[in-house]
Amino acid sequence: MRPGLLIIVSSPSGGGKTTLCHRLLAWDPNIRRVITCTTRAPRPGEQDGHDYFFLTRAEFERRIAAGDFLEHAEYNGNYYGTPRRFVEEQIAAGHDVLLAIEVQGAGKVMELVRGGGFAYPENVITLFLVPPNMALLEQRLRRRAQDSEETIQKRLRIAEAELAHWREYDYAIVTGLIDHDVAHAKAILIAERCRTKRVPAGGQAWVQTELLS
Ligand code: 5GP
């Protein structure tokens, strides 16, 4: 069994991560999305266990202490964290795993990988979605109409700081029309799946099976 990839997708809030991830999930049933945990209140329409696992601060802190998170970060006054076990189980089962997180958390995973603290260091790919300009990002945050003016302003300030990190990622896509973004993300994934370093031991047999199928 070939272990799956961990695809970390970051962008400023409103940068299009969620839409892109949904399109990739619809494209390939082998891809799984990580449902992460947060202490922020659900937005209208958001469901526990679907959009996020919504936790109290006390429960979140208990899980930090228990080592349940691959990474966690504080963003705009709330905790966000990635359940470690789900990610590792899905990769071990051969699924490619999409993880949409902000830049501090992504940086922590990159550090963990570099420091040998992640079981599949060769399987991590990082992707940054760069909005073409701040005005468009602001427009998207407003169109979402889910946040107060104060929250939108805070998110825009955070976005400026986040944008400075794009070069730390393996790939960057300057976002445009969603079909364009999806086509680029698919191309990246397809190429990464073809990397010779990812061919498992006994690779000759694997190559032949792939060629014959
Ligand atoms: P929102 O409140 O808009 O749902 O999310 C705020 C930011 O936190 C977004 O950039 C989102 O991708 C990110 N985020 C969601 N889950 C996690 C997580 O588990 N860890 C980290 N570090 N960021 C997350």
Side-chain angles (χ1 to χ4, degrees):
M1 162 78 70
R2 187 166 84 130
L5 302 171
L6 174 60
I7 306 130
I8 299 179
V9 185
S10 292
S11 75
S13 178
K17 290 180 293 256
T18 310
T19 313
L20 179 77
C21 288
H22 282 118
R23 289 282 299 265
L24 293 174
L25 289 167
W27 165 59
D28 182 350
N30 188 50
I31 300 178
R32 299 285 186 271
R33 179 177 68 97
V34 185
I35 299 169
T36 59
C37 301
T38 184
T39 59
R40 121 163 127 58
R43 295 191 182 113
E46 281 186 334
Q47 284 171 20
D48 187 45
H50 181 261
D51 300 283
Y52 278 106
F53 294 107
F54 293 100
L55 306 179
T56 61
R57 274 188 97 80
E59 175 60 10
F60 199 103
E61 282 167 1
R62 190 194 66 72
R63 294 202 195 181
I64 296 173
D68 288 355
F69 294 121
L70 188 64
E71 63 72 39
H72 70 276
E74 232 175 319
Y75 173 94
N76 198 20
N78 290 298
Y79 281 131
Y80 292 81
T82 305
R84 176 190 286 269
R85 193 145 59 111
F86 177 82
V87 172
E88 290 177 347
E89 281 173 0
Q90 296 301 312
I91 293 174
H95 297 297
D96 292 341
V97 174
L98 280 177
L99 177 62
I101 56 177
E102 50 68 74
V103 295
Q104 296 174 70
K108 285 180 193 168
V109 180
M110 293 179 208
E111 239 175 75
L112 193 74
V113 169
R114 279 194 294 270
F118 185 62
Y120 304 95
E122 296 284 1
N123 290 24
V124 181
I125 303 167
T126 56
L127 167 62
F128 195 94
L129 304 182
V130 186
N133 57 60
M134 289 305 280
L136 200 83
L137 190 68
E138 183 166 356
Q139 220 179 60
R140 283 201 200 144
L141 282 173
R142 288 191 192 288
R143 207 180 313 138
R144 189 156 80 179
Q146 285 166 330
D147 295 311
S148 65
E149 182 58 31
E150 192 195 346
T151 303
I152 291 175
Q153 291 306 327
K154 270 198 212 149
R155 283 174 184 256
L156 283 170
R157 277 199 301 277
I158 297 172
E160 286 186 15
E162 289 184 318
L163 282 170
H165 290 271
W166 67 270
R167 216 183 252 289
E168 292 153 27
Y169 290 68
D170 299 321
Y171 297 96
I173 300 176
V174 178
T175 55
L177 293 174
I178 181 67
D179 285 347
H180 156 281
D181 306 347
V182 171
H184 280 65
K186 283 183 187 173
I188 290 167
L189 259 174
I190 292 168
E192 285 288 343
R193 287 170 177 169
C194 298
R195 297 283 296 268
T196 51
K197 70 174 182 182
R198 305 236 162 79
V199 176
Q204 197 51 36
W206 177 83
V207 167
Q208 271 156 15
T209 321
E210 292 284 305
L211 288 176
L212 295 173
S213 61

